[in-house]
Amino acid sequence: MPKIVDPGARRLEIAEAVFRVIQRDGLAQASLRSVADEAGLAIGSVRHYFRGHDELIVFAMRALGDRVEARLLRHLPELLDPETPRSRRQELTEALLGELLPLTEQTCAETDVWLAFSAAAKYRPDLAEEAARTHAGVRALVRRVLEGARGAGGLLDLDLDVETERLAALLDGLAMAGGRTPPELMRTVLGRHLETLRHPGSVTK
């Protein structure tokens, strides 16, 4: 009896192989052949799921963004619940935003791969569209977090447009510094920045 393969799961499996090749050897080395070898598949199997190299790379970039987004969204219900204590909300805020930083083995790998995609997006319109979508998504999430904090009374009366961009730029900068800045220092920098946005005394309420 032939083995039944879930096409969606197989496409994601191949995308994971793309990530590993990029992190180890760089985006330029993520050919259909090298990705097929990494995934333990025949190149014909990869071509069965993707019409060509460009489609594979765009799918992998989108899959990475979707994976990180899903992880971020898991923090939101409790974070935005008005019944959540401020001290817990602050902890959740730092945990959520920390998902965008190279603080763990997994997020370090994701950051390496994402930066490779972003660099290529400067010259590839198909990747530029995905990069723009993620750029906008991160800023929308940051603004939502700041709006929730202000609604709960834990945020100073600041210009949210400016503060959204300022916080997003800080996250971008720390992500690019991964490997040169220790994780604990990145956590401290993020925490200190968030402290500048809070009402005095909001930590203990």
Side-chain angles (χ1 to χ4, degrees):
M1 184 175 180
K3 181 180 178 182
I4 298 175
V5 177
D6 180 337
R10 179 53 58 87
R11 283 165 67 88
L12 289 174
E13 178 185 331
I14 295 169
E16 291 287 345
V18 173
F19 303 154
R20 293 193 297 274
V21 172
I22 291 174
Q23 188 184 23
R24 184 181 63 240
D25 303 320
L27 180 57
Q29 301 304 313
S31 65
L32 288 177
R33 171 66 66 188
S34 63
V35 170
D37 289 346
E38 181 68 27
L41 299 170
I43 192 168
S45 295
V46 175
R47 291 187 183 278
H48 176 74
Y49 294 102
F50 298 97
R51 288 173 295 183
H53 180 263
D54 289 350
E55 183 180 288
L56 169 61
I57 296 303
V58 171
F59 176 84
M61 185 177 187
R62 183 180 301 126
L64 179 57
D66 289 346
R67 183 171 78 182
V68 175
E69 180 182 30
R71 207 165 60 233
L72 292 169
L73 292 177
R74 286 200 293 268
H75 293 275
L76 279 182
E78 185 181 1
L79 176 60
L80 299 180
D81 185 342
E83 300 301 317
T84 299
R86 286 185 184 173
S87 58
R88 174 61 178 159
R89 188 177 294 112
Q90 290 154 14
E91 177 184 328
L92 288 166
T93 298
E94 293 186 24
L96 181 151
L97 297 176
E99 297 280 10
L100 298 168
L101 298 177
L103 300 176
T104 67
E105 183 176 350
Q106 178 180 350
T107 57
C108 280
E110 290 173 346
T111 300
D112 287 346
V113 174
W114 184 257
L115 290 175
F117 281 138
S118 296
K122 295 179 181 179
Y123 312 103
R124 290 185 53 171
D126 52 351
L127 296 183
E129 183 177 343
E130 287 303 312
R133 184 175 76 94
T134 300
H135 177 90
V138 167
R139 277 149 181 78
L141 178 71
V142 168
R143 186 182 181 94
R144 191 173 178 187
V145 168
L146 294 177
E147 286 174 341
R150 185 163 72 177
L155 196 70
L156 294 169
D157 186 16
L158 300 168
D159 184 327
L160 284 186
D161 288 338
V162 171
E163 295 308 324
T164 295
E165 192 60 34
R166 197 161 73 103
L167 179 50
L170 175 68
L171 294 168
D172 288 344
L174 288 174
M176 292 184 69
R180 296 185 299 276
T181 303
E184 281 308 311
L185 181 55
M186 282 190 274
R187 289 189 179 95
T188 298
V189 170
L190 175 59
R192 293 280 180 86
H193 177 82
L194 294 174
E195 285 174 9
T196 67
L197 307 180
R198 294 172 183 144
H199 278 297
S202 65
V203 173
T204 58
K205 291 184 180 180

